[in-house]
Amino acid sequence: MDRSYKIDEWKIIEEGFNPEKNRASESVFSIGNGHMGQRANFEERYSGNSLRGSYIAGIYYPDKTRVGWWKNGYPEYFAKVLNSPNWIGIDVSIDDEQLDLARCEILSFRRELNMKEGTLSRVFSVKMKNGITVEVNTTRFVSLDDHELGAIKYSVKLPDQGARLSFTPFIDGNVVNEDANFGEIFWNESNRSTDNGNALLVTTTRKTNFTVAFASNYAFYRNKKEIITEPVLHSREKYAGHSFEIEARAGVQYTVYKYAAILSSENNPVNKIGHLATIKVQEASSKGFDELLDAHRDAWQKKWDESDIVIKGDPAAQQGIRFNIFQLYQTYTGDDKRLNIGPKGFTGEKYGGSTYWDTEAFAFPFYLMTSDLHVARNLLLYRYRHLGKAIENAEKLGFNNGAALYPMVTINGEECHNEWEITFEEIHRNGAIAYAIYNYIEHTGDSSYLEDYGLEVLIALSRFWRQRVNFSEPKLRYVILGVTGPNEYENNVNNNWYTNKIAWWTMQYTTECIGAVKSAAPAKYKDLVERIEFDEKIEIAEWKEIINNLYFPYDEDRDIFLQQEGYLDKLQQTVDNIKPEERPINQHWSWDRILRSCFIKQADVLQGLYFFGEEYDTETIKRNFDFYEPRTVHESSLSPSIYSIMASRTGRIDKAYELYLRTARLDIDDINKEVKEGLHITSMAGTWLSIVEGFAGLKVKHQKLYINPLIPEAWEMYSFMIRFRNNLLKISINKTKAEVENLSGKRVCINVGGEEKKISAGNTEFFKI
Ligand code: BGC
């Protein structure tokens, strides 16, 4: 574990600069507003090791697929969210020497992410090669109040002597993605201009034709007094900026305010986009940094007021959960149904900013319970809009009759992933999409969603499962062959328990929903039946036949569900047999060795028990937990949270706590040694779940709300807020009691540890625990 950052309840703090850790810190200190994001790269030039990253939601490029051996059915491209023009750049030089932290002596350095306010700041002092000491103080944010704005305050002081100080704020479109398959340049310039105050660069993506306008301007101050500059204008291919200089006096603070408006053609007319960006940035600069910052802070305060989790007595745990919540809201705010949640959000290039099953299985319940109903609905509608493509995707693979296979990785509905063992085999992803619909209906009671959209998706998914199974003569059962379960450390397995379970459940749930929609909205149902040529009698009968006869691998001796057929043929070992220096195994072992080992990457059987735990007694869950947890390396960030929840559900609070810290601090402590690639955004929702569904034991059963609270020994109390059926509840738990405050306008019924109470609007009830 790497405790590089200070423990603080509202901040992440890095004291001292470690160039080796710079890429990791650039990820951890990223800022975003759900529509754009920026790694914690320096404003001034940095020639050391860095991954420059500035990302704009929804703007992608179809990067041509590269594989060793092409197989039919592979997608042509991987859609990637692009590294976009650098809008944060401010070159600084002192007596003609560039300020560059890789080329000077660092006397002090502090980087700070303020999660309450959503700002990133640095304070550092360096001695340049020319002997001049320089003190720098910077703050920046991308506005949560206006998602097209960013602002930077960059102050420089020369404490010991005067010198010529020059600044060059600029926009630079000469950027690339590190993971571009063929080293392609993704952006073309479509417009550029520079005048005395403003710089404008309008760029358009090749192939996809998205246009983004970057307009910036600046103000320059000596202490508190504005200085009017006569800048040198820079305008060259994909680059626009200004330089100005001053004879700086010792001990005086010089500050550049840089404002940027970033407008995309997704939200603005292309023919006016440059003009609109320029107007917007001028309005921003006339408001000034402090006013913009106030509005941004207020927007964050509103988010925290409705979603903060407070943990008393354990600052490391507190810091962890706030970091997770903060990053989730920096990634997705739910106001645009075209957008989704990439596993790395806007913090790195890995996973291409695309949508994975992570959204439905992990992120969805977080937004469902913390945000207004339209947010979760937008996430569901995203998949609904992609249904046609999912049907096409299944057709490409040989399925028919409207069967849908959603992609493993997508931005626009098309499959982007090209490893056969995942693209063709990790089909369990379809199940999570069905489960999210179920979750939504249970939590919100919004059955109109089912009638208008959800049932259509469910039928398409069940049609897929019906065609994906086959009848095994030796077993006299239906089987699902050649799949990859959530555990990607094994491929092409037969009868993965989790996949079979979620396929079984989807057909079952679809059948129930057909009954419900048919009676509640017969006209809509009739219309759907005609539109998708649904043969109710025959298709339901086929599903029922499979539901009654699907094979589930099981080991009688141990009385556990088997992850897949043949799993026990593997040499059985537990994770404590792996040498610590060989962890994580995916960075040390050959893929062949990993595939042959019994080690499990992430919750697999346990993922199924997490979704469908209600069907099993606690003893069954314990037996499976005790067998699988010691074999699980948790090398997917998605794993510890599920195990933590299941440990809580079986009353193993210490284990649940250990796994909670692992998920909550995964990135802050770089536990999987890969944070330099970006943060694990989707697993952060799992962290939230491990408190709310784990320790607090929250569940919704037959549309009723239950909690069954536990509290880790180290905690004095914890509290969280959830939304349930349009009500907002604040739940606080300490060692002896649970307190439920109804913050909404309607009476709410809740069952706490077996005791059911109705709480009227505005009231609080206490429950002994
Ligand atoms: C996990 C997948 C996940 C992906 C993106 C992989 O390491 O095994 O389950 O979808 O990361 O988070």
Side-chain angles (χ1 to χ4, degrees), residues 507-745:
M507 289 183 275
Q508 173 96 358
Y509 181 58
T510 307
T511 311
E512 280 167 31
C513 291
I514 288 173
V517 172
K518 207 171 153 181
S519 68
K524 286 186 187 171
Y525 179 69
K526 189 165 166 280
D527 174 59
L528 177 66
V529 165
E530 280 166 19
R531 203 156 31 85
I532 64 171
E533 295 177 20
F534 181 55
D535 191 331
E536 182 187 309
K537 217 163 148 209
I538 292 185
E539 297 196 49
I540 293 188
E542 286 171 348
W543 298 341
K544 284 199 171 146
E545 159 74 7
I546 298 165
I547 292 167
N548 291 333
N549 294 294
L550 189 62
Y551 175 75
F552 288 98
Y554 169 69
D555 179 61
E556 278 188 18
D557 293 344
R558 294 172 179 80
D559 199 3
I560 54 165
F561 305 121
L562 263 194
Q563 185 170 269
Q564 74 251 0
E565 265 184 276
Y567 177 75
L568 287 172
D569 294 337
K570 295 186 151 203
L571 177 66
Q572 292 298 316
Q573 285 180 308
T574 50
V575 170
D576 48 14
N577 288 296
I578 309 173
K579 294 189 189 119
E581 63 274 19
E582 294 182 1
R583 302 286 309 274
I585 57 174
N586 66 20
Q587 290 174 21
H588 295 92
W589 289 10
S590 73
W591 192 240
D592 172 67
R593 187 174 173 195
I594 290 176
L595 289 176
R596 280 183 291 110
S597 84
C598 73
F599 297 119
I600 300 168
K601 182 180 182 189
Q602 68 201 86
D604 193 309
V605 168
L606 268 291
Q607 184 76 39
L609 293 176
Y610 161 66
F611 282 149
F612 306 113
E614 283 305 301
E615 291 176 26
Y616 304 100
D617 59 35
T618 309
E619 286 313 308
T620 304
I621 297 177
K622 274 188 183 158
R623 275 194 310 280
N624 282 279
F625 185 100
D626 288 345
F627 180 77
Y628 287 110
E629 206 281 328
R631 289 164 172 76
T632 304
V633 285
H634 301 298
E635 289 180 12
S636 161
S637 64
L638 300 175
S639 190
S641 58
I642 297 298
Y643 274 97
S644 175
I645 294 169
M646 298 318 284
S648 287
R649 284 196 191 163
T650 51
R652 283 131 176 215
I653 187 76
D654 292 342
K655 189 74 193 169
Y657 176 69
E658 173 199 320
L659 289 160
Y660 164 77
L661 281 185
R662 184 166 175 153
T663 176
R665 301 192 55 86
L666 182 87
D667 287 330
I668 310 178
D669 295 338
D670 199 5
I671 293 173
N672 284 359
K673 302 193 174 65
E674 56 185 15
V675 74
K676 56 180 186 283
E677 295 170 348
L679 302 176
H680 297 88
I681 298 295
T682 42
S683 86
M684 293 183 173
T687 303
W688 187 88
L689 292 171
S690 62
I691 294 183
V692 174
E693 294 188 345
F695 299 134
L698 182 139
K699 64 185 167 214
V700 175
K701 214 165 53 178
H702 308 306
Q703 300 155 17
K704 262 192 165 172
L705 187 62
Y706 293 76
I707 63 167
N708 194 16
L710 299 173
I711 179 162
E713 190 160 342
W715 298 3
E716 285 159 29
M717 66 76 74
Y718 62 105
S719 69
F720 57 91
M721 268 165 277
I722 59 144
R723 290 178 186 243
F724 176 65
R725 308 215 150 209
N726 245 339
N727 300 302
L728 182 65
L729 300 179
K730 180 171 182 194
I731 300 178
S732 312
I733 293 154
N734 68 21
K735 304 274 187 202
T736 56
K737 62 174 193 309
E739 184 182 326
V740 182
E741 191 181 347
N742 182 355
L743 299 167
S744 51

Side-chain angles (χ1 to χ4, degrees), residues 268-433:
N268 295 277
V270 180
N271 57 348
K272 287 197 238 154
I273 201 164
H275 174 66
L276 293 174
T278 305
I279 292 181
K280 181 150 219 171
V281 81
Q282 282 168 344
E283 281 169 8
S285 65
S286 57
K287 282 185 183 159
F289 188 85
D290 292 339
E291 191 179 325
L292 297 175
L293 180 57
D294 281 347
H296 168 70
R297 275 196 200 115
D298 289 350
W300 267 110
Q301 191 55 51
K302 246 169 117 188
K303 284 254 175 272
W304 287 118
D305 285 346
E306 292 202 342
S307 62
D308 189 21
I309 291 191
V310 175
I311 298 173
K312 291 221 169 106
D314 190 349
Q318 173 72 81
Q319 183 183 41
I321 187 62
R322 288 212 171 112
F323 182 67
N324 286 236
I325 296 171
F326 178 67
Q327 293 295 353
L328 282 160
Y329 282 126
Q330 293 212 109
T331 307
Y332 184 76
T333 51
D335 45 21
D336 184 339
K337 59 177 169 296
R338 295 165 300 177
L339 302 181
N340 207 278
I341 305 146
K344 301 253 171 258
F346 301 115
T347 68
E349 295 180 5
K350 196 170 175 198
Y351 299 128
S354 296
T355 306
Y356 284 63
W357 75 300
D358 306 32
T359 291
E360 284 75 19
F362 291 83
F364 184 78
F366 166 79
Y367 290 103
L368 176 64
M369 289 188 260
T370 58
S371 308
D372 187 70
L373 183 136
H374 78 276
V375 173
R377 202 177 156 100
N378 275 350
L379 282 173
L380 294 184
L381 283 172
Y382 176 92
R383 293 292 194 177
Y384 178 76
R385 284 194 310 112
H386 290 176
L387 179 60
K389 291 259 169 76
I391 292 174
E392 269 173 40
N393 186 38
E395 279 169 1
K396 276 189 206 154
L397 307 189
F399 297 86
N400 55 37
N401 188 35
L405 176 60
Y406 275 92
M408 186 64 191
V409 179
T410 195
I411 284 190
N412 63 3
E414 284 170 20
E415 177 63 86
C416 288
H417 201 286
N418 60 34
E419 289 171 290
W420 65 270
E421 61 276 29
I422 293 184
T423 315
F424 306 142
E425 298 206 327
E426 212 174 324
I427 52 177
H428 69 79
R429 60 196 186 240
N430 254 4
I433 291 168

Side-chain angles (χ1 to χ4, degrees), residues 92-106:
V92 180
S93 72
I94 292 120
D95 275 355
D96 293 330
E97 188 183 323
Q98 279 286 340
L99 176 62
D100 174 348
L101 265 64
R103 291 170 193 271
C104 51
E105 185 191 346
I106 298 177

Side-chain angles (χ1 to χ4, degrees), residues 133-389:
T133 302
V134 185
E135 291 173 2
V136 177
N137 201 324
T138 74
T139 300
R140 74 170 181 247
F141 60 93
V142 287
S143 176
L144 196 65
D145 174 59
D146 181 335
H147 66 80
E148 294 179 324
L149 282 182
I152 304 171
K153 178 179 179 183
Y154 195 101
S155 302
V156 176
K157 194 193 269 184
L158 308 178
D160 304 328
Q161 68 192 92
R164 196 158 15 88
L165 177 58
S166 112
F167 293 98
T168 308
F170 62 87
I171 305 165
D172 186 5
N174 295 292
V175 291
V176 289
N177 269 46
E178 266 194 3
D179 76 340
N181 283 339
F182 295 91
E184 280 178 83
I185 302 291
F186 299 135
W187 296 98
N188 281 332
E189 177 181 282
S190 37
N191 193 5
R192 167 180 17 117
S193 65
T194 318
D195 63 27
N196 258 2
N198 306 299
L200 173 71
L201 181 68
V202 183
T203 49
T204 301
T205 55
R206 296 188 181 169
K207 294 189 187 166
T208 37
N209 267 324
F210 292 111
T211 294
V212 184
F214 297 79
S216 80
N217 65 15
Y218 67 88
F220 184 47
Y221 279 71
R222 180 194 297 123
N223 288 332
K224 295 209 150 68
K225 193 171 168 348
E226 182 162 9
I227 306 172
I228 304 305
T229 57
E230 290 212 359
V232 176
L233 310 186
H234 300 286
S235 182
R236 52 178 190 268
E237 166 120 57
K238 292 191 201 162
Y239 182 101
H242 302 88
S243 293
F244 47 90
E245 58 180 38
I246 193 158
E247 284 305 326
R249 298 199 300 260
V252 174
Q253 176 134 303
Y254 297 91
T255 300
V256 176
Y257 292 96
K258 182 175 180 188
Y259 304 96
I262 298 161
L263 271 58
S264 108
S265 55
E266 287 290 88
N267 303 311
N268 295 277
V270 180
N271 57 348
K272 287 197 238 154
I273 201 164
H275 174 66
L276 293 174
T278 305
I279 292 181
K280 181 150 219 171
V281 81
Q282 282 168 344
E283 281 169 8
S285 65
S286 57
K287 282 185 183 159
F289 188 85
D290 292 339
E291 191 179 325
L292 297 175
L293 180 57
D294 281 347
H296 168 70
R297 275 196 200 115
D298 289 350
W300 267 110
Q301 191 55 51
K302 246 169 117 188
K303 284 254 175 272
W304 287 118
D305 285 346
E306 292 202 342
S307 62
D308 189 21
I309 291 191
V310 175
I311 298 173
K312 291 221 169 106
D314 190 349
Q318 173 72 81
Q319 183 183 41
I321 187 62
R322 288 212 171 112
F323 182 67
N324 286 236
I325 296 171
F326 178 67
Q327 293 295 353
L328 282 160
Y329 282 126
Q330 293 212 109
T331 307
Y332 184 76
T333 51
D335 45 21
D336 184 339
K337 59 177 169 296
R338 295 165 300 177
L339 302 181
N340 207 278
I341 305 146
K344 301 253 171 258
F346 301 115
T347 68
E349 295 180 5
K350 196 170 175 198
Y351 299 128
S354 296
T355 306
Y356 284 63
W357 75 300
D358 306 32
T359 291
E360 284 75 19
F362 291 83
F364 184 78
F366 166 79
Y367 290 103
L368 176 64
M369 289 188 260
T370 58
S371 308
D372 187 70
L373 183 136
H374 78 276
V375 173
R377 202 177 156 100
N378 275 350
L379 282 173
L380 294 184
L381 283 172
Y382 176 92
R383 293 292 194 177
Y384 178 76
R385 284 194 310 112
H386 290 176
L387 179 60
K389 291 259 169 76

